[in-house]
């Protein structure tokens, strides 16, 4: 019913997808010129001379043939020419997800500090309503409005709704409203990154109704949607989470620390996952429940207050109650701080930030009910670990701890500059931050970072 949805957009969610303009393949000469331009501050004069010679040789040899191949590939598909290589870059990288790829977005605190279970319940309920709104095709499309007085009106929405999908983007753009690609939302829920020996796989399923809840190394499945497809009431979710929090420590069985395996280099994790599945049927069944969950919920055992402590809790925590492969994890601490930690290969921050904003608004609008017994109680997911696998889990935990111990995290807040001031000066705020981190890296180590985004939330 309509009451289960966050809203009902007059413009269908995917209304603009068929008319989004493709990113054009740049001319080979432009690509080579930009390469030399951006390489100049990163290399020595001698190295840049070698680069210029290499570019000249490439332009006169295999370059034109490869450019023609790229153009032909772009013509065959209705997507950006960099999309496939971009996914390949992320999924082929064997580096651990921990710190290298998984960022986090911390929610604002609520004025009246609720309990851990209550805030987790309301945020999960809001996420379920977001999912149903998305799947019903009535989630308002992502649109960048440069003239909101023109485009954010009922008349504009009705006019754009009536436009054919094949031209809707251009009709909206004529009024200063630019629709954004929403294909990434397909991997927001029921999605995970599966470790493979050489190239990881993004996997989604269709019909799951549960979230996987992690607490102190134990895994539980909790239904977020009813068999009829309606959101489970927040009071019942709270009852389920409170039951998990009250479970004895030995309820975690032999599964304690299995989540640490997701922080290993991808090739190592891929091999251990195969061993885990082969060790016992229960392991494969539990992994299937985790993979197919709508998302993961981490009932963190800490109570951070200082900003740096909060960042650490949301970015990595103790690792024992994390599953870094999931599309996103909702982390809620004992003192009701909350954040979304997300795996980065499937998408960027735009869709996750949209989800976070909608979840916050919807969850804070819900009353703080008393908990109620859930219609379907939490179901514990068990793992059976023979000695070699138990030893591998313990070693993964030690490596996790060593990585975190060797990582510095500091926060700086300043009024010296603002987003508005930077934009007024013609400087991209994001670009300025990225270059600041590059400069810090160069001053500290004498070399530049080769990460695409050295800054992590």
């Amino acid at each position: 019913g309509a009451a289960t949805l966050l809203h009902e957009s007059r413009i269908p969610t995917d209304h603009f997808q068929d008319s989004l303009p493709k990113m054009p393949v740049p001319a080979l000469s432009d690509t080579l010129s930009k390469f030399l331009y951006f390489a100049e501050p990163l290399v020595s004069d001698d190295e840049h001379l070698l680069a210029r010679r290499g570019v000249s040789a490439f332009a006169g040899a295999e370059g034109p043939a490869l450019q023609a191949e790229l153009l032909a590939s772009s013509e065959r598909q209705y997507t950006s020419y960099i999309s496939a290589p971009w996914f390949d870059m992320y999924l082929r990288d064997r580096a651990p997800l921990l710190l290298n790829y998984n960022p986090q977005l911390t929610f604002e605190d609520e004025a009246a500090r609720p309990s851990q279970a209550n805030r987790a319940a309301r945020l999960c309920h809001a996420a379920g309503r977001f999912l149903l709104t998305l799947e019903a095709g009535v989630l308002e499309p992502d649109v960048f409005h440069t003239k909101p007085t023109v485009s954010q009106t009922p008349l504009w929405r009705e006019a754009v709704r009536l436009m054919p999908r094949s031209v809707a983007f251009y009709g909206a753009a004529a009024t200063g409203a630019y629709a954004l690609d929403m294909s990434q939302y397909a991997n927001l829920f029921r999605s995970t990154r599966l470790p493979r020996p050489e190239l990881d796989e993004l996997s989604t399923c269709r019909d799951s109704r549960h979230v996987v809840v992690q607490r102190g190394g134990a895994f539980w499945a909790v239904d977020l949607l009813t068999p009829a497809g309606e959101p489970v009431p927040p009071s019942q979710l709270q009852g389920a989470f409170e039951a998990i929090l009250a479970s004895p420590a030995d309820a975690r069985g032999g599964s304690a620390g299995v989540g640490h395996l997701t922080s290993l280099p991808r090739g190592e994790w891929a091999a251990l996952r195969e061993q885990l599945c082969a060790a016992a049927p229960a392991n494969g069944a539990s992994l299937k429940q985790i993979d197919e969950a709508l998302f993961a919920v981490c009932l963190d055992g800490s109570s951070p207050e200082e900003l740096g402590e909060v960042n650490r809790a949301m970015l990595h925590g103790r690792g024992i109650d994390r599953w870094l492969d999931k599309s996103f994890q909702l982390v809620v601490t004992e003192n009701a701080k909350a954040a979304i930690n997300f795996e980065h290969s499937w998408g960027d921050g735009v869709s996750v930030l949209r989800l976070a904003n909608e979840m916050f608004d919807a969850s804070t609008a819900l009353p703080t009910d008393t908990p109620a017994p859930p219609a379907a109680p939490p179901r514990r997911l068990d793992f059976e670990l023979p000695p070699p696998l138990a030893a591998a889990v313990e070693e993964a935990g030690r490596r996790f701890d060593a990585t975190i111990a060797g990582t510095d995290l500091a926060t700086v807040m300043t009024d010296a500059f603002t987003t508005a001031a930077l934009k007024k000066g013609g400087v991209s705020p994001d670009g300025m931050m990225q270059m600041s981190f590059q400069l810090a890296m160069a001053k500290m180590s004498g070399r530049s970072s080769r990460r695409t985004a050295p800054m992590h939330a």
Side-chain angles (χ1 to χ4, degrees):
T4 67
L5 305 179
L6 292 177
H7 56 250
E8 292 189 66
S9 171
R10 289 290 292 164
I11 304 173
T13 305
D14 61 354
H15 189 58
F16 300 101
Q17 289 298 118
D18 291 348
S19 58
L20 292 171
K22 287 176 60 173
M23 181 181 290
V25 177
L28 178 60
S29 58
D30 291 343
T31 300
L32 298 179
S33 295
K34 284 186 176 180
F35 167 73
L36 291 174
Y37 173 78
F38 288 114
E40 190 168 5
L42 304 177
V43 300
S44 67
D45 290 344
D46 290 341
E47 288 172 329
H48 200 260
L49 177 60
L50 290 174
R52 293 199 300 273
R53 290 173 178 170
V55 162
S56 180
F58 180 80
E62 65 265 50
L66 291 173
Q67 177 78 359
E69 187 177 325
L70 182 60
L71 286 166
S73 174
S74 179
E75 285 296 318
R76 289 193 297 268
Q77 52 192 342
Y78 181 53
T79 185
S80 165
Y81 72 95
I82 65 171
S83 181
W86 190 262
F87 278 114
D88 187 82
M89 175 189 71
Y90 274 106
L91 297 175
R92 196 172 294 280
D93 191 359
R94 303 292 81 192
L97 300 184
L98 177 66
L99 300 183
N100 293 309
Y101 281 114
N102 281 41
Q104 62 89 6
L105 297 171
T106 301
F107 290 99
E108 291 183 4
D109 290 337
E110 294 186 3
R113 188 71 65 89
S115 70
Q116 180 179 24
N118 178 268
R119 190 166 199 200
R122 286 183 291 110
L123 284 167
C124 283
H125 181 80
R129 292 175 62 198
F130 183 99
L131 167 65
L132 295 177
T133 308
L134 174 66
E135 292 187 333
V138 292
L139 184 73
E140 188 172 332
D142 287 334
V143 178
F144 180 57
H145 296 272
T146 63
K147 301 175 182 177
T149 56
V150 175
S151 59
Q152 289 188 307
T153 64
L155 177 62
W156 182 89
R157 292 186 182 94
E158 193 63 21
V160 170
R161 183 183 71 85
L162 295 173
M163 292 178 184
R165 289 170 55 105
S166 58
V167 298
F169 173 87
Y170 297 96
T175 64
Y178 299 92
L180 306 180
D181 175 37
M182 297 189 70
S183 61
Q184 293 180 351
Y185 284 80
N187 284 94
L188 189 52
F189 294 94
R190 301 190 180 101
S191 178
T192 199
R193 174 174 172 168
L194 297 176
R196 297 292 186 240
E198 295 182 2
L199 180 70
D200 285 1
E201 174 188 347
L202 292 178
S203 174
T204 59
C205 77
R206 284 176 175 264
D207 302 318
S208 58
R209 299 184 289 107
H210 69 280
V211 294
V212 60
V213 182
Q214 303 159 92
R215 169 68 176 184
F219 295 81
W220 307 77
V222 173
D223 286 345
L224 188 62
L225 303 176
T226 68
E230 298 287 314
V232 170
S235 58
Q236 291 188 26
L237 292 175
Q238 182 175 344
F241 295 155
E242 288 187 354
I244 291 172
L245 291 170
S247 64
D250 60 6
R252 66 192 186 187
S255 66
V258 171
H260 275 136
L261 297 176
T262 66
S263 68
L264 291 172
R266 303 305 290 173
E268 292 182 44
W269 169 213
L272 286 168
R273 182 179 163 114
E274 289 186 3
Q275 295 174 35
L276 198 59
C277 289
N283 295 346
S286 293
L287 286 171
K288 187 173 188 291
Q289 288 284 294
I290 294 171
D291 294 341
E292 295 183 353
L294 297 172
F295 54 92
V297 180
C298 311
L299 297 177
D300 189 275
S302 67
S303 297
E305 289 290 351
E306 187 269 327
L307 188 56
E309 293 176 349
V310 173
N311 272 292
R312 279 197 174 278
M314 306 313 185
L315 195 57
H316 54 72
R318 295 186 302 131
I320 199 170
D321 49 11
R322 297 291 191 274
W323 198 265
L324 300 175
D325 291 1
K326 283 302 289 181
S327 54
F328 75 90
Q329 304 174 88
L330 172 65
V331 184
V332 184
T333 62
E334 287 191 348
N335 59 343
K337 304 276 185 179
I340 287 177
N341 180 299
F342 64 100
E343 196 281 311
H344 205 346
S345 67
W346 65 268
D348 56 29
V350 174
S351 52
V352 179
L353 183 60
R354 168 77 183 277
L355 170 68
N357 287 335
E358 298 272 15
M359 283 174 63
F360 180 83
D361 291 343
S363 67
T364 53
L366 290 169
T368 304
D369 293 332
T370 53
R379 306 176 295 281
R380 199 182 80 189
L381 308 181
D382 293 317
F383 286 93
E384 298 176 19
L385 302 179
L389 276 174
V393 168
E394 289 185 12
E395 175 61 18
R398 285 192 290 269
R399 290 166 68 177
F400 178 96
D401 292 342
T403 298
I404 299 309
T407 302
D408 287 329
L409 188 151
T411 57
V412 176
M413 299 183 70
T414 178
D415 294 324
F417 55 86
T418 63
T419 295
L422 289 169
K423 287 183 176 179
K424 187 176 180 180
V427 177
S428 160
D430 181 67
M432 191 283 299
M433 293 300 295
Q434 301 290 351
M435 291 307 297
S436 296
F437 276 76
Q438 291 280 8
L439 179 61
M441 179 75 170
K443 284 182 173 290
M444 289 171 59
S445 64
R447 60 184 176 85
S448 62
S449 168
R450 284 167 172 76
R451 289 285 174 198
T452 57
M455 178 180 66
H456 293 277

